Amino acid sequence: MPDQLPKKSASIDRRTALRGAFAGAAILAAGQATAAAGPARHRTPGLRTGGKEVAIFGGGMAGLSAAHELAERGFRVTVYEPAYLGGKARSLGVPGTGTGGRADLPGEHGFRFFPGCYQNIPDTMRRIPFPGNPDGVLDNLIRVEGTVAGFRDRPPIVAPVEIAGLDQLTPQNLQNSIVSAFGFIPELPPHELAFFGKQMLMWFTSSTERRFGQWEYLTWEQIMRADGKSAAYRAYLVNALTRITVAAKPHLSSARTIGTIGEALVLAGTGLIPQFSGGVDRILNRPTNAAWIDPWVDYLRSRGVQFVMGQRASRLSCAGGRIDSVTVTDAHGTATSVVADHYICAMPVEKTVPLLNDRILAADPHLAGMRELLTDWMVGIQFYLRRPTEIPEGHIAALGSPWALTALRQAPMWVGDFAGQYGDGSVQECFSVDISDWDTPGILHGRPAKQCTAAEIAAEVWAQLKVWLNTGTGWLRDEDIHSWHLDPGISWSGGTTHNETPLLVNTVGSYDHRPYAHCAIPNLFFGGDHVRSHIDLATMESANESGRSAANAIIDAADDPAPHAPVFPLVALPAFEAAKKLDADRFRAGLPHILDI
């Protein structure tokens, strides 16, 4: 019997077709360059100081990006941040580990990587000065050439991260390249790999109307038709690729979201897209704060941006249909009122939702959708080793590991002598690992990460890495471990594990609940990876784009003549346009995609 999708996707009812056609037409009419910008421009009435004073609440990627664009256009910007500038993108030293004049060992929320499909982030980085770099901190990115794929109790495989041999981007060439790229996966039936390639081609040739009207309301597991497939297909192509890339669950995540980032990564891997320069993958050549965040903050200060630390937005006061003040509170509970012309909530969604009081929701009911958004965990741990491993440089994916582990050897790709710069002089390697699945039992303790202590998490992660990477290699040795460092956002209280820094997960239909960068309240704006964007994923890129969109909305609200900050769309291939047009006609007629058979 042929594979079948659930009835909802096998036939498209008129309501779905009309909804998708309306959504797609609206996006196309707005133009891709402004698709994430939202409704028509607003102008804020009754500006207090000529419309140039902006208060930003949250000094993470979105807040800093908005501050950057506004400061360069002459706005007076103050950023209020309760903890750390840089948010989840920052790095931090492990307190008390540096001796003899060396810096503390470098820790972080999770290792940074910069796919070639990112365009907004590189544009920002290029405009941040860095000594000796013609293109500012952008020159601190270095290209990653390969990746290590680990399998349980099998020798790992070293594979290139880029797709070789393509000289023209046609549907057939791209499908063949996708099939070839994943041919290394063990025990994967060839006909299932071919089916995967066909489903990816279906995504590439799906119209905007279908993407928003059908794929948004199906899971990635459904569009890949995982039911009835082999264990290898489900474990590697459906689950592992989703978990390690975006920390998303394939049985919950919107197929449109996963397809969007998958398409962008594939196109970056071809090397044929001028806008996606720099290869599939890049990393920083030193700790994130040293390479990027600290120079960024210094630059913003030089442009007049003020930073008020230790202050968290605790209340939005709405009167007369606009925000008239915001209350900020410090760690001791002392409250202060902030008054400005424009206010940007650049906090994570779980911190923003409690501020949406009845008056705000009455002014813009759509904002209530943020309460429906789901977050999940993706947190990093670093192992400090006395000897370098022999793992090839590049990203490491333990495919099919219970905790969906990915890793990176950082020391070999950083400038300078690691042991001479950090710690007590005996640490030669910083092995940084991201834990993307906190809900699946592990192999050592038989419990999910959320039910483990910090020491148990470290032991479990190391055990899984050895099973997935050591067969035939002996790369990881227990005796090499000097120490480890788990992200400090993880804490324990009353037997419950808490994560201070969860990530947004794009579940089925969640696009409907996500806000634009501005809303019906004319001087209230939003930044963060939960704001609608082109990349549409919890990434630095989407947060940066949201900051740009918020800045542009303020420029409009202030009726300021300054040019907009560029917001870069994803690439649409001309070779696929005819197929997409055909699919748009089929979708409006209530017919499935021509490959959806």
Side-chain angles (χ1 to χ4, degrees):
M1 174 179 285
D3 298 290
Q4 292 184 343
L5 284 172
K7 289 183 180 179
K8 180 179 179 181
S9 63
S11 62
I12 306 167
D13 61 34
R14 181 170 176 80
R15 179 179 297 178
T16 299
L18 290 174
R19 174 182 60 198
F22 178 79
I27 291 171
L28 290 171
Q32 273 214 333
T34 59
R41 295 181 175 186
H42 301 279
R43 188 179 190 280
T44 304
L47 300 177
R48 192 176 67 85
T49 60
K52 304 288 283 188
E53 191 165 326
V54 182
I56 300 176
F57 304 96
M61 187 55 52
L64 294 180
S65 299
H68 189 136
E69 303 300 340
L70 290 167
E72 287 189 340
R73 288 158 177 81
F75 284 77
R76 295 180 293 277
V77 180
T78 304
V79 177
Y80 298 85
E81 168 55 42
Y84 306 97
L85 296 173
K88 290 188 283 287
R90 81 186 194 283
S91 61
L92 61 153
V94 183
T97 58
T99 63
R102 287 175 289 267
D104 287 338
L105 290 168
E108 56 198 338
H109 172 76
F111 59 79
R112 308 273 78 74
F113 80 107
F114 299 78
C117 58
Y118 284 8
Q119 299 177 80
N120 293 290
I121 285 282
D123 178 71
T124 296
M125 298 176 82
R126 186 178 289 110
R127 292 183 283 131
I128 302 170
F130 193 90
N133 289 358
D135 278 332
V137 302
L138 183 64
D139 288 339
N140 289 336
L141 291 179
I142 54 177
R143 192 163 176 166
V144 175
E145 303 290 347
T147 188
V148 175
F151 303 92
R152 181 164 190 163
D153 297 322
R154 287 176 173 271
I157 295 172
V158 181
V161 296
E162 299 180 5
I163 300 173
L166 271 182
D167 56 6
Q168 187 178 8
L169 287 174
T170 66
Q172 192 60 55
N173 284 349
L174 209 52
Q175 181 180 6
N176 293 340
S177 296
I178 290 170
V179 171
S180 299
F182 294 104
F184 66 87
I185 295 177
E187 299 180 357
L188 180 63
H191 71 277
E192 291 186 354
L193 179 56
F195 178 81
F196 175 80
K198 190 265 291 184
Q199 294 301 92
M200 288 299 297
L201 182 61
M202 181 175 69
W203 166 262
F204 271 85
T205 54
S206 288
S207 61
T208 301
E209 291 89 343
R210 190 179 301 279
R211 293 184 181 195
F212 280 88
Q214 184 180 7
W215 302 146
E216 172 64 21
Y217 302 97
L218 292 173
T219 67
W220 184 246
E221 190 175 73
Q222 287 173 326
I223 196 176
M224 287 293 125
R225 299 187 183 179
D227 289 347
K229 294 293 193 301
S230 67
Y233 182 93
R234 296 194 308 271
Y236 300 129
L237 291 182
V238 177
N239 188 68
L241 289 181
T242 307
R243 294 296 277 163
I244 66 175
T245 303
V246 297
K249 297 179 174 68
H251 65 285
L252 295 177
S253 296
S254 156
R256 185 190 63 81
T257 296
I258 306 303
T260 297
I261 186 62
E263 177 180 359
L265 290 172
V266 168
L267 292 180
T270 67
L272 299 178
I273 307 297
Q275 299 94 315
F276 293 171
S277 61
V280 174
D281 191 6
R282 294 162 293 183
I283 68 167
L284 290 166
N285 63 2
R286 43 174 62 82
T288 309
N289 272 35
W292 180 18
I293 302 300
D294 291 345
W296 197 4
V297 172
D298 290 343
Y299 172 70
L300 294 180
R301 284 196 171 108
S302 76
R303 299 302 299 244
V305 176
Q306 302 292 314
F307 293 95
V308 180
M309 302 301 295
Q311 301 285 341
R312 182 188 301 275
S314 56
R315 181 177 179 272
L316 304 180
S317 175
C318 184
R322 65 192 303 270
I323 303 299
D324 58 10
S325 67
V326 174
T327 301
V328 295
T329 307
D330 64 17
H332 304 291
T334 303
T336 306
S337 183
V338 173
V339 177
D341 294 314
H342 312 281
Y343 305 86
I344 301 179
C345 285
M347 300 169 290
V349 65
E350 72 277 4
K351 300 294 194 301
T352 300
V353 165
L355 302 181
L356 304 178
N357 56 51
D358 291 343
R359 284 192 174 184
I360 290 173
L361 296 181
D364 191 340
H366 179 258
L367 297 178
M370 279 192 270
R371 294 173 173 172
E372 307 301 319
L373 298 177
L374 179 70
T375 59
D376 204 349
W377 294 18
M378 185 176 185
V379 175
I381 184 172
Q382 288 79 51
F383 292 92
Y384 304 106
L385 308 178
R386 295 186 179 91
R387 288 192 296 174
T389 75
E390 297 174 355
I391 302 175
E393 293 180 10
H395 287 300
I396 302 153
L399 296 177
S401 56
W403 288 5
L405 303 177
T406 52
L408 179 69
R409 292 180 60 200
Q410 294 185 310
M413 306 189 80
W414 283 357
V415 296
D417 172 31
F418 189 90
Q421 293 182 81
Y422 305 105
D424 60 8
S426 68
V427 175
Q428 300 284 334
E429 178 82 277
C430 177
F431 195 68
S432 190
V433 186
D434 275 345
I435 307 167
S436 297
D437 188 330
W438 286 72
D439 299 303
T440 299
I443 63 174
L444 188 62
H445 301 291
R447 299 194 304 276
K450 288 179 180 176
Q451 296 178 16
C452 292
T453 65
E456 288 171 339
I457 290 172
E460 178 71 51
V461 169
W462 189 254
Q464 289 185 34
L465 288 172
K466 287 199 300 180
V467 170
W468 262 259
L469 296 175
N470 267 11
T471 301
T473 67
W475 280 336
L476 301 178
R477 301 172 291 261
D478 294 347
E479 61 271 20
D480 290 346
I481 298 178
H482 171 280
S483 55
W484 50 265
H485 174 259
L486 181 66
D487 180 81
I490 300 294
S491 61
W492 290 261
S493 177
T496 301
T497 308
H498 176 70
N499 181 9
E500 182 65 20
T501 54
L503 290 173
L504 175 75
V505 176
N506 298 64
T507 54
V508 166
S510 60
Y511 188 83
D512 296 340
H513 302 303
R514 297 173 65 185
Y516 291 104
H518 60 79
C519 66
I521 299 174
N523 64 339
L524 177 62
F525 308 87
F526 295 94
D529 52 27
H530 56 288
V531 174
R532 294 184 180 191
S533 66
H534 288 98
I535 205 80
D536 190 35
L537 198 65
T539 59
M540 297 182 293
E541 177 76 349
S542 62
N544 179 278
E545 180 182 328
S546 76
R548 290 165 179 258
S549 296
N552 289 342
I554 288 176
I555 292 169
D556 293 339
D559 203 18
D560 193 277
H564 274 184
V567 175
F568 298 93
L570 292 171
V571 170
L573 295 177
F576 288 75
E577 288 308 307
K580 289 181 179 180
K581 185 178 184 302
L582 171 63
D583 185 58
D585 293 338
R586 290 179 62 85
F587 184 83
R588 284 189 288 265
L591 297 173
H593 191 284
I594 197 169
L595 294 178
D596 195 9
I597 55 176

